[in-house]
Amino acid sequence: MPHSNPRFISRLTRNTLALILAGGRGSRLKQLTTWRSKPAVPFGGKFRIIDFPLSNCINSGIRRIGVLTQYKAHSLILHIQKGWGFLRGEFGEFVELWPAQQRVTENSWYAGTADAVYQNLDIIRDHDPDYVLILAGDHIYKMDYGAMIAFHVESGADMTVGCLEVDTERAREFGVMEVDAGHRVRGFEEKPAEPKPIPGAPGRCFASMGIYVFNRDFLFEQLQKDADTRGSSRDFGKDIIPSVIKQYRVMAYTFRDPVSGEQAYWRDVGTLDAFWAANLELIGVTPPLNLYDKGWPIWTYQEQLPPAKFVFDDEDRRGMAVDSMVSGGCIISGAKVRHSLLFSNVRVNSFAYVEDSVVLPDVDIGRNCTIRNAIIERYCQLEEGTVIGLDPEADRRAGYQVTDSGITLVTPEMLGQNANHVR
């Protein structure tokens, strides 16, 4: 396959419309998604999950983006309006919000991922792209979509599926692509008991990332065909892919680190355990996801805040954070924070101790509190002497959400507090 030059990729990305599917609830995140959709969940100290696919688009040279919203989208909409309004409409750049709006039928809700795109075909036609890039709005990763689009065009594909290379055991959690030696997709199974391996790589499989590149006319044709099919669940993975792989050219694109050639970082933070672990990964000396990469910045909206402050330096009352990330607006007042991630505007008061925890914005941790192995939701006000994470059974009796591995989630509602539901 010929090598793509930057101008070739630039032309392709300029003629691509990206659609980010951001309407999912993410119910496995429990109370973290009671008042927000999964793409609006905070991540990494100052970001929201949606910032990662949006930043990937901008950094890849794709500046025509539609964000499809549905479930409890208010905080997501506010975030995008505040943080992603810097593109210039007169240059044909935009991030547009596309809520479910009865464009096709009186049923206002998107029935599935394919239906979400189908209901907006008239808008897509108006933008007149050559290629349509469809992305999930709820994964954490850094990816140059330009290279995938170039692969799609060079391989003569009608559709290309972004894939992770995973071991057989993990593959059972994904939709698995059966491919030939040229990476053409020959079969597809959703969460198979016996995943088909990659040719020449026993024990390894291609798992779909939920990232698709379509030729525009092919996409229109397949979505209309799916809409006319009785019994379809209107989903790309369950319906569109299985219906096209035999008759059309569908290719699998391997997502690899451009420098090392190894499997690149990608996380589905869809459970409380995964969310907690992925956040705490970031504070390592050499984290698998580098947020300090100047060549691939993650863009977001953040309030103008003062620097983090650490006050008091007595032997028994020293404001300090060790092996941690602490965001702007935080005050560590005579307290100790160890191996934790604090989002903006968190206050930790005297003699409190926080360890192995993820503390979301605008939390106040009272004096003499002890917090371990916890996720503290936004706006929580922890009273003096509160203990969380030391005894899972005690946490459950207190009404907190505790995972099987012992991670405790606390929300304002669990504390009997009235909080701002725009999270």
Side-chain angles (χ1 to χ4, degrees), residues 44-46 302 305-308 325-330 341-345:
K46 62 179 288 186
Q302 182 171 274
L305 298 170
M325 290 177 68
V326 180
S327 300
C330 289
L341 191 154
L342 274 55
F343 285 71
S344 57
N345 284 329

Side-chain angles (χ1 to χ4, degrees), residues 275-284 339-341 356-358 373:
F275 176 80
W276 175 86
N279 272 283
L280 290 189
E281 274 185 325
L282 301 174
I283 66 180
H339 198 255
S340 295
L341 191 154
D356 292 328
S357 294
V358 178
N373 299 319

Side-chain angles (χ1 to χ4, degrees), residues 211-261:
I211 296 176
Y212 314 115
V213 179
F214 283 91
N215 297 334
R216 175 195 57 202
D217 293 341
F218 180 73
L219 174 65
F220 292 171
E221 175 187 313
Q222 297 309 315
L223 289 177
Q224 187 61 60
K225 187 184 299 184
D226 181 67
D228 295 338
T229 301
R230 287 182 176 273
S232 171
S233 60
R234 309 287 188 260
D235 187 82
F236 281 108
K238 294 177 182 176
D239 304 289
I240 299 291
I241 295 176
S243 72
V244 300
I245 53 180
K246 291 184 179 179
Q247 188 176 355
Y248 300 99
R249 188 168 178 82
V250 179
M251 300 297 292
Y253 174 80
T254 313
F255 177 41
R256 294 188 180 279
D257 185 281
V259 177
S260 68

